Amino acid sequence: MFTGFGDFDKTLTTFDELRRRMDRLWSEFDGSWDDPRWPSTSLASSTWPLVNLYDAGANLVVKADVPGVSEKDLQIHISNGTLSIGGERKSVVPEGYTAHRQERGEVKFLRSFSVPSKVDAERITATIKDGVLTVTMPKAPEAQPRQITVQAQ
């Protein structure tokens, strides 16, 4: 409840601060939405695709959401304990069609992750199904979990 002009000024100041923060958030999110000629290079491309990394015992498994990206447009590298996933989602209007609305823009991305344990790079596999990239990295023998038998004395 307002008790005077001071309360009204505080409310306006709060809304003004909220507006400035929202403006900053949107300007940092992705300034290239309206121009497909400029691939995203801002916050959106630095956090896209969303990725989960699991430890499945003998393997490390990475799952990345890459809807609209074909296997031909993905590059996966591992070097010195860092996994890199790069690629591009292209936005192509099919021949004979006219685009009336294009909200899904082109995106180039590169994400890199430190792998938490040593892996056998020669046995790494990658598959893509329904827009989800799965990279399976077998752990090196010395990094695999071992069961230690307890002996009674």
Side-chain angles (χ1 to χ4, degrees):
M1 178 171 183
F2 293 116
T3 58
F5 286 110
D7 291 334
F8 188 71
D9 283 342
K10 281 184 190 176
T11 302
L12 288 179
T13 301
T14 302
F15 279 117
D16 190 48
E17 179 64 23
L18 177 64
R19 182 191 56 78
R20 277 189 267 126
R21 287 183 181 197
M22 291 301 291
D23 286 346
R24 189 176 67 218
L25 175 71
W26 286 112
S27 68
E28 290 175 355
F29 182 70
D30 192 353
S32 61
W33 281 357
D34 297 332
D35 192 345
R37 296 174 297 169
W38 299 98
S40 297
T41 56
S42 63
L43 180 64
S45 63
S46 67
T47 60
W48 198 88
L50 299 176
V51 171
N52 289 342
L53 171 63
Y54 304 100
D55 188 334
N59 300 310
L60 296 172
V61 179
V62 173
K63 291 196 177 266
D65 292 336
V66 290
V69 179
S70 75
E71 70 276 7
K72 295 176 288 191
D73 296 323
L74 285 167
Q75 297 88 41
I76 302 168
H77 301 277
I78 188 158
S79 178
N80 297 327
T82 301
L83 175 72
S84 298
I85 301 172
E88 179 177 10
R89 181 179 70 195
K90 297 175 181 169
S91 178
V92 178
V93 177
E95 190 174 320
Y97 286 75
T98 302
H100 289 280
R101 186 176 189 107
Q102 275 191 290
E103 294 179 345
R104 296 180 63 230
E106 294 184 356
V107 175
K108 288 184 179 178
F109 60 90
L110 177 62
R111 305 257 344 244
S112 296
F113 313 92
S114 293
V115 178
S117 61
K118 191 171 180 181
V119 296
D120 184 351
E122 299 299 319
R123 295 179 39 224
I124 294 175
T125 60
T127 59
I128 187 168
K129 182 180 179 186
D130 298 332
V132 177
L133 171 68
T134 302
V135 180
T136 304
M137 301 177 286
K139 289 182 182 175
E142 64 269 20
Q144 293 202 11
R146 293 183 301 166
Q147 183 166 355
I148 300 169
T149 305
V150 177
Q151 298 176 354
Q153 292 184 357

